[in-house]
Amino acid sequence: TKNVTVVTSAVSANTDFDTGVSGIDTAAASRVEVYVNGQLLARGANAGANLDFYPGTSDGELKFEFDLEVDDVVTAILRAS
């Protein structure tokens, strides 16, 4: 499953962001790829990991360790198991 989202309003760091990909927040890290503006990001378990993103609060949501700006392009991919 793949979804591409163009950010339409700024999203603060460590705020839930809906990727539009159900299950991406709970899937094994080896099945998940997330890109912002074409840059592959590193997944952490939580904010304390100090990596690029980590699971969000609800299904399909992730939290980024940095602000997302208007017109950023977020690509979320969940590969089959």
Side-chain angles (χ1 to χ4, degrees):
T1 304
K2 174 182 173 182
N3 190 54
V4 178
T5 304
V6 178
V7 177
T8 57
S9 64
V11 178
S12 297
N14 303 305
T15 301
D16 284 319
F17 177 80
D18 186 3
T19 65
V21 179
S22 181
I24 199 166
D25 53 312
T26 57
S30 62
R31 295 180 48 215
V32 175
E33 292 178 28
V34 177
Y35 300 82
V36 174
N37 300 324
Q39 177 77 36
L40 179 61
L41 304 180
R43 177 182 177 161
N46 54 44
N50 290 322
L51 294 173
D52 297 318
F53 72 97
Y54 57 97
T57 306
S58 299
D59 184 37
E61 294 180 346
L62 299 175
K63 294 183 179 186
F64 293 92
E65 290 276 354
F66 52 88
D67 295 341
L68 294 175
E69 300 178 4
V70 173
D71 293 330
D72 278 346
V73 178
V74 179
T75 303
I77 300 169
L78 178 57
R79 301 210 178 270
S81 56

